[in-house]
């Protein structure tokens, strides 16, 4: 959902910049920390890209991929689930995955969410099924964010689609 605050366009998707870390008394292992960069990106689902990224203030801040209801949605890269729910108006059932200290991906309009907050996921792991929660057609709305700024996901996803 796009709103206006004193003439500046803002997006309702929150900017996650940190995740609570274990206390210093708990040993932090490599499996519980974020890498410096995303090792690889994979397509989050099969289907047809029906809307692409737009740089305009009111444009699409990601890509929309249409397929049949129930189609598997996968994590586009390794990371930690930092949001899983339906409390953000305009996104339906939403999953947000943090991949590095600066990169996030968001998966909106899901039918069923399979992962929970604080779950660590691998690139290609099933996280949800495609649906139409919060929208008028069955599709995945997929976003990539760097330091909270929306980026064109097609710049990161492999050229070959599933």
């Amino acid at each position: 959902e796009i709103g206006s605050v004193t003439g500046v366009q803002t997006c309702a998707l929150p900017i996650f910049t940190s995740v609570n870390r274990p206390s210093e008394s708990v040993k932090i292992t490599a499996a519980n920390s974020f890498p410096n960069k995303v090792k690889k990106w994979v397509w989050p689902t099969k289907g047809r890209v029906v809307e692409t990224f737009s740089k305009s203030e009111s444009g699409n801040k990601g890509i929309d991929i249409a397929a049949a209801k129930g189609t598997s949605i996968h994590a586009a890269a390794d990371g930690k689930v930092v949001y899983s729910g339906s409390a953000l108006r305009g996104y339906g059932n939403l999953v947000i995955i943090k991949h590095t200290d600066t990169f996030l991906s968001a998966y909106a309009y899901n039918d069923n969410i399979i992962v929970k907050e604080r779950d660590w996921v691998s690139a290609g792991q099933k996280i949800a099924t495609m649906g139409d929660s919060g929208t008028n057609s069955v599709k995945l709305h997929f976003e990539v964010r760097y330091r909270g700024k929306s980026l064109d996901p097609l710049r990161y996803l492999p050229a070959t689609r599933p």
Side-chain angles (χ1 to χ4, degrees):
E1 174 185 74
I2 304 296
S4 181
V5 178
T6 52
V8 177
Q9 293 291 322
T10 58
C11 182
L13 188 62
I15 299 170
F16 289 95
T17 56
S18 65
V19 172
N20 291 336
R21 299 279 193 190
S23 69
E24 289 184 8
S25 65
V26 176
K27 183 179 179 185
I28 298 174
T29 63
N32 291 327
S33 61
F34 294 102
N36 291 329
K37 65 180 189 173
V38 175
K39 186 167 67 172
K40 74 172 181 172
W41 291 94
V42 299
W43 278 84
T45 193
K46 295 178 181 177
R48 186 170 53 91
V49 175
V50 294
E51 191 168 350
T52 56
F53 179 82
S54 170
K55 290 183 181 179
S56 74
E57 287 295 322
S58 60
N60 191 355
K61 298 304 174 199
I63 60 173
D64 293 347
I65 303 170
K69 188 171 187 172
T71 299
S72 294
I73 306 296
H74 304 98
D78 297 346
K80 186 175 186 177
V81 178
V82 294
Y83 181 82
S84 175
S86 59
L88 297 173
R89 202 175 75 186
Y91 290 93
N93 294 327
L94 173 68
V95 174
I96 300 174
I97 299 173
K98 182 174 180 173
H99 305 291
T100 68
D101 285 331
T102 53
F103 271 101
L104 300 172
S105 59
Y107 311 76
Y109 309 142
N110 300 298
D111 185 31
N112 292 312
I113 296 175
I114 297 165
V115 294
K116 301 181 298 297
E117 289 177 22
R118 297 184 296 284
D119 283 352
W120 287 90
V121 295
S122 300
Q125 180 179 333
K126 186 174 179 178
I127 60 169
T129 59
M130 192 177 295
D132 57 1
S133 63
T135 188
N136 57 4
S137 62
V138 177
K139 62 186 171 187
L140 167 68
H141 174 72
F142 176 69
E143 295 187 15
V144 172
R145 299 266 178 127
Y146 177 75
R147 298 187 191 272
K149 180 178 172 20
S150 298
L151 301 175
D152 183 354
L154 295 177
R155 290 180 50 209
Y156 297 91
L157 297 173
T160 305
R161 296 182 189 168

